Amino acid sequence: METERLRLRRFTADDVGLLVDLDSDPEVMRFLTGQPTPRKEIENVVLPEILKMYGEHPELGTFAAEQKVDGAFIGWFGLQPAATPKTVDVGYRLKRTAWGKGYATEGTRALIDKAFGELGMERVVADTMAVNHRSRAVMRRSGLRFARLYHEHFDDPLPGTEFGEVEYAVDRRTWEAGRRA
């Protein structure tokens, strides 16, 4: 899959180093786990789960994002099945060097378009910590709208967890209306 500036491809078993590098930045992980992901966890859990998803849901999954101009890995975008039928969850994780350049919005819009235009989905959702204002702004720019605030229990909560999690969403009708406008 391609956008104006990005190429999204499936991860391979050889991509462990890319994920380790991405998840080793504490700022990238700030609103996720609050700490780097250990290499062994990426090798034994994270990457195998990504690869397994391709077999279970061939059109969905987590996709490596590379700049078209030089092939540099900048992070990933994901389109995952949700608990509700005909609904997918969109997400992204980008290297700090890619922040503030519009890549998150560009990739997210492309996956939303794929969900509705190619996959026949009825709803796309995304979530983040309520205090993650940059990610919330990406969701809004991508066409997602605030749906709800909710609270989850975490055994080892991150700073800001007390303010809750937010869900953003867009349904097919709203997406179609936006394309006609």
Side-chain angles (χ1 to χ4, degrees), residues 4 96-97 100 106 152 162 164:
E4 180 183 338
R96 220 181 326 174
T97 56
E106 184 176 328
E152 288 189 23
E162 66 273 19

Side-chain angles (χ1 to χ4, degrees), residues 16-17 20 37-49:
V16 169
V20 169
T37 308
R39 182 180 187 91
K40 286 290 184 200
E41 185 175 338
I42 290 173
E43 290 174 343
N44 298 324
V45 179
V46 175
L47 188 54
E49 286 295 320

Side-chain angles (χ1 to χ4, degrees), residues 10 52-61 63 79 114 119:
R10 286 182 169 191
K52 180 181 170 191
M53 178 64 70
Y54 300 144
E56 294 175 355
H57 300 276
E59 296 294 326
L60 303 178
F63 304 98
L79 199 56
K114 178 181 178 78
L119 304 180

